[in-house]
Amino acid sequence: MLSSVISYFPTWDVWLQAAIACLVPIVASFVYKKTYSLAGKGRNPNTAENKKDPDPPAPNNSPFSGDYATDLATIRERIGGNSDLCSREFRMAKLNVRATLFFVTGMQNDRVLDLQLMEFLMFEAGADVYAEPERLHDQLPFNNLFEAPSLDSFNRSVLFGYTGLLIEGQPSGLLIECPDGANRAVQEPLSEGLLRGPRLSFTEMLSVNTSMLRRQGLSEQLEIKTFQVGTRLQKDLALAYIKDIVNPDLLEEVKARIQKMDFDFIAESGYIEELIEDNYLSPFQQLQNTERPDRVIAAMLEGRIAILLDGTPFVLIAPATFSMLLQSPEDYYERWLPSSLLRMLRFAAAFMALMAPSLYISFISFHPGLIPTELALSIIEARQGVPFPSLIEVLILEVSIEILREAGIRLPKPVGPAMGIVGGLIIGDAAVQAGLVSPFLVIVVAVTAISSFSIPSYSAGITLRLLRFVGMIFAAFLGMFGTILFFLLLCSHLTKLKSFGVPYLTPVSPFRPRDWKDLFFRAPRALMKRRPAMMKTQDDKRKS
């Protein structure tokens, strides 16, 4: 009797797996907190280590001396070593005074410079202009014409693309904007292609990008504020939002984080994303990046804020939630029934892209009894002769697919897609013929790869591809216990994660049933009368 009861108790290896499954979340939580606290010291300006480092020297603000020869010599001493800097000294005929133009080759419109500026200054500028420099604003055909506050500001502006004008007898220099140069034309979005919708994407010119937002629709409530970021090399950054919709607290928080950024050079919006996000140790992006103006406008109408940086076509949207990463602008351009179906397919594809290899390892190595008998026999027969355990078998194919995917992106466009398809077919078939992997695994890996391609956001796809390998390791050590544990740890992290104070899993956690109308499916537009409650907007009504 006792032996029959004991026979129902799990074996020692099952108890060991259960014990490890209980210890893993405790150890993972401890390691995460310790790592975050150590890494956070580098971002906290109040730590003792940071207080030891002296503040970087403030930029010089040398004033103009008022003496033409002295100021000219100072300017040439400081920036005259640049080979692309041109200085054109001439005499203003009617005034009989000297003047010098400073400009960088390739950044000015030479025709405008010669015919409108030089001709006027050399032959037409009279005593009234000399006596009243502000008269230049009335007579020169330039929108941006202003007085430089200091020599250093004058030098930086000239090197950044402005034309500098120094006139003998004047107390300071003038800066004139007549830009020119190679700029990319407006094209279709490369990373967010649609079948139905606008064919416009942002460019590298900030002024062009802000004008695209203005052209989306007439509104005096669309407000754009400009900042300068970077300590060594400065660039323009703009915040765009709908003034009567955005939450003022959110706006102040975004401004504060941007003003606290301390970095030599902000080359791309990815720098900003990493510097201002809530948790930079999380694998999940907490700001959405896009190159579509229509997506930015739709986000701002929900109360979000757009961050535009000069020199990049990718705009950041804050705050971001997990559901945003699986939504496509095309969901709102098609009717609600097909859009809802496609969105639910995307959520299912994201789950498969994350969990399919882990489930395969769990079933094959630990729980074959959960597979239907006929299918299990077929898989066992196909795996005959495979010399590797399931983890190594999956890693061989997954790593090969990731290498092919990366190579396809880096190769020229005519070659990349063909190489990816042919390479995948050849490697998969060769691996099966050589007995390195089973045919069933090739199907699993192919479905996983195709599912990852259905995610609209490339950055979100990278995150799922990274976490897929972590889930495979959990499954290889603990079987289905490890797979479930990995999924629960992931859910707990997402529940704790926030983006500018907005919970990342909203409206699932915290539960907001009103916002479920635009979550897994898109409700008819007539029912979407209010903006997302999580944004705490000033005006929460979409329809007046």
Side-chain angles (χ1 to χ4, degrees):
M1 179 66 179
L2 182 60
S3 60
S4 62
V5 173
I6 294 176
S7 64
Y8 286 100
F9 281 86
T11 57
W12 67 270
D13 56 333
V14 176
W15 287 108
L16 180 61
Q17 291 181 20
I20 295 175
C22 293
L23 290 175
V24 166
I26 299 174
V27 175
S29 177
F30 174 79
V31 172
Y32 174 81
K33 291 181 178 179
K34 192 69 175 177
T35 305
Y36 189 73
S37 63
L38 291 175
K41 291 181 179 179
R43 298 183 66 171
N44 186 359
N46 296 322
T47 57
E49 295 178 1
N50 288 338
K51 287 183 179 179
K52 294 179 183 178
D53 298 331
D55 294 332
N60 296 325
N61 289 310
S62 305
F64 285 92
S65 67
D67 181 71
Y68 173 78
T70 303
D71 291 336
L72 181 61
T74 304
I75 293 172
R76 286 177 172 171
E77 179 186 356
R78 294 187 181 180
I79 63 175
N82 295 281
S83 301
D84 58 344
L85 177 69
C86 297
S87 60
R88 172 71 164 87
E89 191 168 2
F90 58 94
R91 182 170 292 275
M92 299 175 69
K94 290 186 178 182
L95 298 173
N96 195 27
V97 296
R98 293 174 296 169
T100 304
L101 276 180
F102 296 92
F103 56 92
V104 174
T105 304
M107 300 185 71
Q108 305 297 325
N109 189 318
D110 293 337
R111 183 177 178 83
V112 172
L113 208 62
D114 294 340
L115 298 181
Q116 296 182 7
L117 182 59
M118 291 289 294
E119 184 176 350
F120 171 78
L121 292 174
M122 293 178 70
F123 305 111
E124 298 180 17
D128 54 345
V129 173
Y130 185 74
E132 302 177 68
E134 62 272 9
R135 291 289 301 276
L136 283 174
H137 292 266
D138 301 330
Q139 300 188 29
L140 286 179
F142 299 102
N143 291 327
N144 291 333
L145 173 66
F146 54 93
E147 186 177 347
S150 66
L151 271 170
D152 298 282
S153 175
F154 183 87
N155 294 339
R156 287 196 301 267
S157 299
V158 168
L159 294 178
F160 192 68
Y162 286 87
T163 299
L165 175 60
L166 191 65
I167 303 176
E168 184 179 9
Q170 296 303 311
S172 62
L174 296 175
L175 294 170
I176 305 167
E177 184 178 12
C178 48
D180 193 18
N183 297 318
R184 184 170 64 91
V186 177
Q187 300 174 344
E188 291 190 27
L190 296 178
S191 62
E192 298 173 277
L194 300 180
L195 294 177
R196 180 176 181 178
R199 306 291 183 183
L200 296 176
S201 71
F202 291 116
T203 69
E204 286 75 15
M205 291 289 292
L206 180 61
S207 58
V208 176
N209 295 340
T210 54
S211 66
M212 284 188 186
L213 295 181
R214 295 286 186 191
R215 290 173 181 172
Q216 293 293 313
L218 298 175
S219 174
E220 61 182 12
Q221 297 299 327
L222 174 56
E223 194 166 86
I224 297 176
K225 296 290 186 181
T226 305
F227 303 84
Q228 284 199 331
V229 293
T231 55
R232 296 289 181 186
L233 298 176
Q234 292 187 335
K235 298 179 72 172
D236 289 334
L237 177 146
L239 293 184
Y241 50 90
I242 306 297
K243 186 166 55 175
D244 61 344
I245 294 178
V246 68
N247 184 346
D249 295 334
L250 172 64
L251 180 60
E252 291 302 319
E253 179 66 20
V254 174
K255 287 182 179 179
R257 295 192 189 186
I258 287 177
Q259 291 170 348
K260 288 179 181 178
M261 289 193 305
D262 184 12
F263 213 74
D264 283 347
F265 176 56
I266 308 297
E268 212 271 341
S269 57
Y271 284 57
I272 303 173
E273 184 176 0
E274 191 170 350
L275 289 171
I276 69 174
E277 62 187 358
D278 290 59
N279 186 350
Y280 61 94
L281 293 178
S282 173
F284 292 93
Q285 59 181 117
Q286 293 138 61
L287 291 93
Q288 187 179 28
N289 60 80
T290 180
E291 53 180 338
R292 298 190 62 89
D294 55 330
R295 169 167 263 176
V296 173
I297 286 292
M300 289 194 294
L301 288 172
E302 290 184 344
R304 306 182 199 274
I305 298 172
I307 304 173
L308 301 89
L309 180 68
D310 189 26
T312 175
F314 286 92
V315 175
L316 300 178
I317 299 174
T321 58
F322 182 76
S323 60
M324 290 174 58
L325 308 180
L326 298 178
Q327 296 173 359
S328 170
E330 202 168 13
D331 295 346
Y332 303 93
Y333 303 149
E334 296 287 352
R335 299 188 70 254
W336 71 277
L337 274 175
S339 298
S340 300
L341 173 63
L342 293 177
R343 184 178 293 184
M344 287 187 286
L345 281 176
R346 270 187 236 117
F347 275 91
F351 180 81
M352 294 176 64
L354 177 66
M355 302 299 296
S358 303
L359 293 173
Y360 172 84
I361 294 173
S362 301
F363 287 140
I364 295 300
S365 300
F366 293 89
H367 311 286
L370 298 178
I371 307 175
T373 304
E374 295 183 359
L375 179 60
L377 293 175
S378 176
I379 295 175
I380 292 172
E381 182 180 356
R383 280 182 52 81
Q384 291 295 325
V386 176
F388 303 113
S390 57
L391 175 63
I392 304 301
E393 182 188 12
V394 175
L395 284 176
I396 291 174
L397 272 188
E398 283 289 348
V399 171
S400 301
I401 291 295
E402 292 300 326
I403 293 175
L404 284 172
R405 191 201 305 254
E406 189 67 16
I409 294 175
R410 308 304 165 197
L411 285 174
K413 290 182 181 178
V415 183
M419 192 282 300
I421 296 173
V422 174
L425 291 174
I426 293 176
I427 290 178
D429 183 67
V432 172
Q433 294 296 329
L436 298 178
V437 299
S438 66
F440 187 77
L441 176 61
V442 175
I443 298 175
V444 173
V445 172
V447 171
T448 302
I450 294 172
S451 299
S452 64
F453 284 128
S454 67
I455 300 173
S457 173
Y458 178 74
S459 300
I462 295 177
T463 300
L464 295 184
R465 285 155 55 187
L466 169 66
L467 293 174
R468 181 194 308 159
F469 287 94
V470 179
M472 288 159 51
I473 295 174
F474 271 78
F477 282 95
L478 299 174
M480 187 58 72
F481 294 108
T483 303
I484 296 174
L485 177 62
F486 164 71
F487 187 73
L488 292 178
L489 288 174
L490 193 62
C491 290
S492 64
H493 171 68
L494 290 174
T495 303
K496 184 181 178 182
L497 193 62
K498 290 185 178 181
S499 174
F500 291 88
V502 176
Y504 200 62
L505 284 185
T506 306
V508 177
S509 174
F511 183 66
R512 299 183 187 274
R514 193 184 87 182
D515 293 344
W516 278 59
K517 296 176 183 177
D518 193 22
L519 182 59
F520 299 111
F521 63 92
R522 182 179 76 79
R525 215 172 296 275
L527 300 179
M528 299 171 63
K529 299 180 180 180
R530 296 186 177 274
R531 309 184 202 279
M534 60 182 169
M535 298 306 302
K536 300 178 181 178
T537 55
Q538 301 178 59
D539 180 10
D540 66 340
K541 294 182 179 180
R542 296 180 189 267
K543 301 174 67 176
S544 58

